[in-house]
Amino acid sequence: MHRLRRWLAVASCLGTLGVLAPALGGPSTPPADQVAFGDVFRYQGVPMLWIEPDSGRIVDANEAAALLYGRSVVEPRQQHFQNINLLSERRVAEERQPDTLAQTQRKELWLLAAVMALGAVVAVLITAALGLRRRAQWATAQWQQAQQALKMREASLQHLARSAHGMQLALQGAGLGSWDWDLRLDRLQLDPPALQVLGHSVATLPTLNMTRWLDLIAPADRSLFEHAWARHLSGQQPLLECELRLRHRDGHEVPALLRGQVVARGDDGTPWRVAGILADLSTLHEYQRAASLAEQVFRYTHEAVLVTDAQGCIVRVNDAFGRLTGYAPDEVLGRNPLLLASGRHDRAFFAAMWNALQTQGHWSGEIWNRRRDGALMANWMTISVMRDPRGEVQGYVGVFHDITQRKQTEAELQRTALTDALTGLGNRVLLHDRLQQAMARTARHGACLAVVMLDLDGFKAINDTHGHAAGDRLLIALAQRLRALVREVDTVVRLGGDEFVLLLPDLIRPQDAEPLLQRILQAMAQPVDDAAGALQVSASVGVTYYPQEPPVDADTLLHQADEAMYWAKRSGRNRYAAWTPALANNGGTSSAASAGANHQP
């Protein structure tokens, strides 16, 4: 009897589940999640079975039931409750019917016979009160709701985990670290990227408190942090944000941005937790310093700077641009730089400029521009192409300065170097340059060039009688007459003293020069009114022509013209003579050159 009572006590608890299971009418598998009902089933010391209501199949057994009945007997989804119950199937079915006597009479105990692990048959007492079934139904509904909530919570946690992981990756990708401050424990934790800003790791700086955190802040910035911290915790500022200089592990200061906000509060509104990000501003400050330096260079340079977009429209100019061109920024923004065009450059000039920009990325050279007031100015300009990292053209930047004064100085120096100081005519240097050009031009176009040598007759007497000043005034007057007689393509130079040379290019034939030679003789013989009185001289002129056979050089042409001029002087002056080979072979005798000589009566 003592053994029977023992098994009855145990079996009574087991039987409770045996009756509860049909009453549940719920899922055919027990809950696998850690909820209260599942814990009771799994870890209870009383043997319990989970039985499928309709079929009586054993779905699951707790550890106590496995020890009592044997593991092979109660293996889930392999055994049937009928296998361990000696009641007939008819009796079991009757007991499971809604109108069974046990339910109608509110029967609480059934006495059954059951097979144990070693094959022994023992009596089993089963409790089956109607109220217990209703409580089981309520427990089932609660469990189902808990299971659904648990599934939703797990899904939410998984989503949050994915979001947190994505946020962590985003922060790392942006070079940002994160921090979390538990105010109740006064414990500040920095993640690895935030620790890296300070040159630390979890091993060298595991946690911080307010005192240690303030020690990391540069002394001059501590009050800034404390002020921002207090204003945020008190609700005066919705966001904690301040730039600080933090002490790096190696001792130098790191500019950093601290940003965060309260993320948890107590029931009374007291902040419990603050979290945020920490950003290293070192690179940003370097960019800012570089940008500031570039801006200062742009603003304060004395060279004019204009920037255009890829379409060539002006997007920015500096102050020097306004001083140089006379245009205010709002007068040029959005316009094309052609508003400065002087009209002195042809299409070929600009074609070469754009070709250099496209092939080399830059162009430099002299260019004439026009100011707002219409005045011309010479500029030295450098234009560069601006490209993005992909090589796409983003715009153009032009830098230029005024070289008008320099050009004028150069022109004056050149004029001085190439002109006669007294008369303003060309000098010997200009003569040689122009003669070479004229000979090359004549060879290209198949024309004729006349080289004329002129020497004044009686000029020495003017100097001796009226003085050198009067002689200089006479030379200036005669030079002006010569300049007035010739064409624009012709060149008149003074070699020195009273000698002049004229270059007459683009003649169709030699005889075309003769009318001009006659006019020259007449102009030179006309008196010049002067303070010293009427000054009068005449001229002896020699001329030679190019090209010749055999070919001759520039010096030879000048020598020939000089020989012809001296022949004209020896022949009576106030006349011109043309050089011929016969004149050179006979030493300038009248019989040798008479055929080429003419005179002005």
Side-chain angles (χ1 to χ4, degrees), residues 405-420 427 429:
Q405 184 62 45
R406 191 188 78 185
K407 294 293 291 183
Q408 292 175 347
T409 301
E410 291 176 352
E412 181 61 25
L413 291 174
Q414 184 176 23
R415 188 190 67 80
T416 302
L418 299 179
T419 60
D420 175 57
N427 60 13
V429 177

Side-chain angles (χ1 to χ4, degrees), residues 246-554:
L246 302 177
R247 188 177 71 253
H248 194 272
R249 186 180 182 186
D250 63 11
H252 77 276
E253 293 182 347
V254 179
L257 171 66
L258 183 74
R259 180 180 292 169
Q261 65 182 38
V262 175
V263 296
R265 295 180 182 271
D267 294 337
D268 60 353
T270 302
W272 281 3
R273 183 180 172 196
V274 184
I277 62 168
L278 182 68
D280 187 348
L281 300 181
S282 300
T283 302
L284 176 61
H285 282 191
E286 290 178 4
Y287 287 150
Q288 289 176 340
R289 284 193 294 269
S292 176
L293 179 61
E295 177 64 23
Q296 292 182 33
V297 171
F298 182 86
R299 179 177 299 176
Y300 296 113
T301 182
H302 290 289
E303 293 194 321
V305 181
L306 68 85
V307 182
T308 76
D309 58 19
Q311 289 70 43
C313 295
I314 299 175
V315 297
R316 194 174 181 195
V317 296
N318 67 347
D319 295 341
F321 177 91
R323 292 193 299 269
L324 183 60
T325 66
Y327 284 101
D330 58 353
E331 294 180 303
V332 298
L333 294 182
R335 301 179 65 182
N336 193 285
L338 288 177
L339 64 92
L340 301 174
S342 65
R344 298 186 60 170
H345 303 288
D346 56 16
R347 292 184 178 180
F349 175 85
F350 291 106
M353 173 191 294
W354 285 110
N355 180 67
L357 290 174
Q358 294 173 0
T359 58
Q360 303 174 25
H362 61 87
W363 174 88
S364 296
E366 292 183 5
I367 185 171
W368 284 90
N369 287 318
R370 191 178 298 277
R371 293 187 176 91
R372 189 176 186 276
D373 60 7
L376 291 177
M377 61 177 174
N379 299 136
W380 180 267
M381 174 175 279
T382 297
I383 304 175
S384 301
V385 181
M386 298 185 299
R387 299 183 184 274
D388 62 15
R390 298 175 299 174
E392 298 292 332
V393 175
Q394 297 298 298
Y396 304 88
V397 54
V399 180
F400 59 101
H401 59 275
D402 190 1
I403 60 171
T404 305
Q405 184 62 45
R406 191 188 78 185
K407 294 293 291 183
Q408 292 175 347
T409 301
E410 291 176 352
E412 181 61 25
L413 291 174
Q414 184 176 23
R415 188 190 67 80
T416 302
L418 299 179
T419 60
D420 175 57
L422 177 64
T423 63
L425 299 177
N427 60 13
R428 192 179 296 272
V429 177
L430 180 66
L431 171 63
H432 285 282
D433 178 69
R434 294 286 180 85
L435 181 54
Q436 294 290 347
Q437 294 182 32
M439 292 174 66
R441 179 185 177 92
T442 298
R444 285 195 306 269
H445 298 288
C448 177
L449 167 66
V451 179
V452 180
M453 184 76 69
L454 182 151
D455 184 82
L456 297 179
D457 304 324
F459 180 73
K460 184 176 180 302
I462 297 294
N463 278 337
D464 294 342
T465 304
H466 303 286
H468 289 280
D472 290 343
R473 293 192 295 271
L474 175 61
L475 290 175
I476 293 172
L478 296 179
Q480 293 174 350
R481 291 179 181 178
L482 286 175
R483 187 182 289 114
L485 290 172
V486 299
R487 302 166 299 174
E488 185 176 351
V489 296
D490 299 335
T491 300
V492 181
V493 301
R494 177 182 176 228
L495 293 183
D498 58 352
E499 287 190 318
F500 300 84
V501 174
L502 291 81
L503 302 179
L504 311 178
D506 300 335
L507 301 176
I508 298 176
R509 55 183 183 175
Q511 292 88 336
D512 292 339
E514 293 180 359
L516 177 59
L517 297 178
Q518 293 288 354
R519 291 195 297 272
I520 289 174
L521 292 176
Q522 293 173 1
M524 295 299 100
Q526 292 295 322
V528 174
D529 293 332
D530 185 76
L535 306 178
Q536 185 174 18
V537 293
S538 62
S540 297
V541 178
V543 59
T544 188
Y545 300 98
Y546 179 85
Q548 299 178 16
E549 288 296 338
V552 294
D553 57 18

